[in-house]
Amino acid sequence: MNTPVEVLVQVVADLDAVLRSDAVAGLSDAEKMTLLRVAGQVQRRVEAVVVETVASVDARPAGSGELAFCGRFGCRTMGELLQRVLRTDAPGAGRVVKAATAVRREVEVSSGGWLPARWPALRAALLDGTVGVAGVLAAIGPVEQAGARVGTGDRLLADAELAACARGIP
């Protein structure tokens, strides 16, 4: 079985092969439209990999003198680490961190099992490639801005509705 890194290394190699082949220029308009659609699917899934990776990192400092994840790589914050690793700007890194915070799952102390994300349906939509980082942030923005004025039940209802809407389900 391939590790996630091995799978993505192969994806990069395959994309390099497509780009070096000069085949894109020779595609018909219909094929170019299909290529753009598939590239969007790839792009959203790559964003989901980045967000899921960031969400899986314990951002809090580790105990017993151990450095937190970012500190192990010479960075003060996750945003700084993402800027360096992804070669993105500060606002782009901030959007990834904000999306990761929204879809992060905590571990239950007593059982060690995963608790649901703050936005579980949008997390699922992100992971299946329906929405990207921009879509998640646009969906959660107004509700998050309302803060405590929106209760948990209403937030989860909005989450389900927003994810269904993103999937084109009326």
Side-chain angles (χ1 to χ4, degrees):
M1 183 167 138
N2 294 332
T3 67
V5 172
E6 291 170 334
V7 170
L8 290 181
V9 166
Q10 184 59 52
V11 169
V12 170
D14 292 344
L15 289 170
D16 285 344
V18 168
L19 293 169
R20 280 194 295 262
S21 72
D22 288 331
V24 174
L27 295 175
S28 69
D29 287 350
E31 290 169 321
K32 286 179 183 176
M33 185 55 111
T34 301
L35 181 62
L36 287 172
R37 194 172 295 113
V38 172
Q41 293 171 349
V42 170
Q43 184 175 20
R44 287 186 301 278
R45 282 173 176 82
V46 168
E47 285 185 355
V49 169
V50 171
V51 169
E52 182 69 1
T53 303
V54 172
S56 73
V57 170
D58 188 1
R60 293 166 290 207
S64 66
E66 246 184 86
L67 286 175
F69 179 81
C70 300
R72 290 185 197 128
F73 299 100
C75 298
R76 291 185 340 260
T77 65
M78 182 58 75
E80 180 184 351
L81 184 137
L82 291 174
Q83 287 177 63
R84 291 181 183 188
V85 173
L86 300 179
R87 299 180 189 173
T88 189
D89 59 0
R95 286 188 295 273
V96 169
V97 170
K98 190 172 183 176
T101 301
V103 301
R104 177 181 171 79
R105 295 180 300 162
E106 297 288 340
V107 176
E108 186 176 18
V109 176
S110 60
S111 72
W114 289 109
L115 293 169
R118 178 166 171 78
W119 295 89
L122 282 169
R123 177 181 188 278
L126 174 74
L127 296 182
D128 69 21
T130 300
V131 296
V133 169
V136 168
L137 296 180
I140 70 171
V143 177
E144 289 291 336
Q145 253 184 338
R149 293 176 289 170
V150 177
T152 302
D154 288 336
R155 178 179 38 81
L156 292 174
L157 183 61
D159 173 50
E161 290 290 328
L162 291 164
C165 184
R167 289 188 171 93
I169 301 169

